[in-house]
Amino acid sequence: ARREVAVREEATRLAEQQRGETDKRIESGVSPETEAAQPRAELERRRGELLSAREAVSRAENALKLLIFGDADDAAWGQGLAPSDDAEPSVAPIDVGSAMARALAARPELASSAAALERRKAETALARDAIRPALDAVVSYDRFGLAGSRNPAGTSPTSPGQSNPVPRRLQGGWGDSLDLLRNGGLDDTRVGLVFAVPLGNRQARAGASIAESAERQAEAELARARKQVRSEVLDAAAALDTAGQRIAAARAAREAAEVQLMAERERYGAGMSTNFLVLTRQNDLSRARLDEIAAQTDYRRAATELARVTGALLAERGIEIDDIGIDKTDGNAASGTARQGGKS
């Protein structure tokens, strides 16, 4: 948008220059007064286009601020933005094979699909195990205590000189029960093998079939995602190559328009051309310059798209993500810091 304003300003300057030359011809009597109408009307038309271009710059700048600034950045909203990128991009050859390999290795959705497939494989293996006979080793250890109220038979001897018929630790009561449980007076240990053979086991077989179907779906999803990535890389590479060729074509057209305008102005100075032809050549030059700007802009967009589909956009923009905390209880990202060009 800024470069379009520069083109419109140059076009307005050329129109003013043409009007000035026309006024001199009228003053010298070479041209009639009606000859001034066309350059004057063309000048005002170009001024209107210049005002529209400046408004487009303001809108583009506000759109960029909307993506960058927060609600609390009151001072930044009122400041202007000055792009630091080079105006003309450098066209480089495309290694489609390397771009394809980088995309298949770096695209996050492929890693997600691969992880989902591994999960489905584990679920399928578990479901298949449920169909087979099972041999389990069982080891258990238990401690027991006595519960309930105290046994009246253990509170006193049945007759004088006769010992209590109930042992002390078996007389009951909550205190004795807890003490017995703590000391391990009554315990039990069991060791054994349990061999189970499922009969029919239709539920387990159905579960295995469902798991196998889900695994096949995950495989198909991974294959679809890989094909989608390949297609996106090829489309982005083709678009970038076309945009690079368009830059060369637009540059040649702009250079030709400059030569045509120069020749037409020389013809006008020699009295062999008209205002209409000179202004037409000026408009042709403005369109050629705008076409060149559009081609360069499209090349940048195509390069950005290729970086996105290959998973290299953050690296190419110099953006790093640090200090990512993962809450292992639910797998959510707890915190993170992004910085570009070494600045937070």
Side-chain angles (χ1 to χ4, degrees):
R2 289 176 179 271
R3 296 182 65 192
E4 181 179 352
V5 168
V7 172
R8 299 300 184 187
E9 290 175 345
E10 176 65 13
T12 302
R13 186 189 65 80
L14 291 176
E16 290 176 346
Q17 183 178 357
Q18 186 65 24
R19 188 187 67 171
E21 294 179 0
T22 302
D23 291 342
K24 291 180 181 179
R25 283 173 172 263
I26 294 174
E27 292 175 359
S28 62
V30 176
S31 299
E33 294 184 358
T34 56
E35 191 71 15
Q38 187 171 16
R40 185 178 298 111
E42 182 65 18
L43 174 60
E44 296 305 322
R45 186 187 69 83
R46 294 182 185 181
R47 283 176 176 172
E49 292 179 343
L50 176 58
L51 294 176
S52 299
R54 287 174 177 171
E55 180 183 355
V57 170
S58 178
R59 291 182 179 275
E61 184 173 306
N62 292 335
L64 184 57
K65 290 179 180 179
L66 184 63
L67 296 174
I68 296 176
F69 299 143
D71 183 60
D73 302 326
D74 296 333
W77 282 97
Q79 297 177 356
L81 299 179
S84 61
D85 293 341
D86 295 334
E88 184 174 352
S90 58
V91 179
I94 307 169
D95 188 348
V96 179
S98 298
M100 189 78 70
R102 184 167 60 249
L104 294 176
R107 287 286 291 268
E109 56 265 50
L110 296 183
S112 176
S113 298
L117 177 57
E118 292 299 321
R119 175 184 176 182
R120 295 303 183 187
K121 288 182 177 180
E123 292 175 350
T124 301
L126 179 62
R128 288 173 179 171
D129 285 342
I131 302 176
R132 303 185 181 95
L135 178 63
D136 298 327
V138 180
V139 178
S140 65
Y141 174 75
D142 298 322
R143 284 188 175 185
F144 303 97
L146 298 179
S149 60
R150 180 175 293 276
N151 189 351
T155 57
S156 61
T158 56
S159 61
Q162 186 178 357
S163 62
N164 195 328
V166 181
R168 176 66 182 83
R169 64 175 185 171
L170 301 179
Q171 292 182 6
W174 286 107
D176 292 342
S177 300
L178 295 176
D179 183 68
L180 187 62
L181 182 63
R182 181 177 62 254
N183 296 332
L186 298 177
D187 56 6
D188 182 32
T189 301
R190 289 175 292 178
V191 178
L193 296 175
V194 178
F195 181 68
V197 178
L199 299 177
N201 207 6
R202 289 178 294 179
Q203 182 176 359
R205 294 181 185 276
S209 298
I210 294 174
E212 291 172 355
S213 177
E215 180 181 349
R216 289 193 297 270
Q217 290 179 359
E219 291 177 349
E221 178 62 24
L222 177 58
R224 186 204 63 79
R226 290 177 63 87
K227 291 192 296 182
Q228 181 68 25
V229 168
R230 292 178 185 273
S231 176
E232 291 179 359
V233 171
L234 293 177
D235 289 345
L240 185 61
D241 183 64
T242 302
Q245 297 179 17
R246 282 182 54 205
I247 290 178
R251 183 185 299 112
R254 186 256 304 164
E255 293 173 353
E258 290 175 348
V259 174
Q260 289 177 335
L261 175 59
M262 182 177 61
E264 199 66 42
R265 293 185 64 181
E266 291 177 354
R267 289 169 55 85
Y268 181 80
M272 301 174 61
S273 183
T274 62
N275 274 326
F276 174 78
L277 294 178
V278 174
L279 294 174
T280 299
R281 294 302 184 187
Q282 291 178 358
N283 289 330
D284 292 342
L285 177 58
S286 296
R287 282 193 294 269
R289 287 174 174 173
L290 293 176
D291 290 342
E292 184 179 9
I293 294 173
Q296 294 172 356
T297 303
D298 291 342
Y299 184 84
R300 288 186 179 277
R301 290 175 175 171
T304 301
E305 177 64 13
L306 181 61
R308 185 195 68 81
V309 300
T310 56
L313 185 58
L314 294 181
E316 291 190 5
R317 295 296 185 271
I319 300 175
E320 299 178 0
I321 307 297
D322 296 334
D323 301 330
I324 295 297
I326 301 298
D327 187 355
K328 295 183 178 180
T329 59
D330 57 4
N332 293 328
S335 62
T337 301
R339 67 171 184 268
Q340 181 176 12
K343 296 182 179 179
S344 299

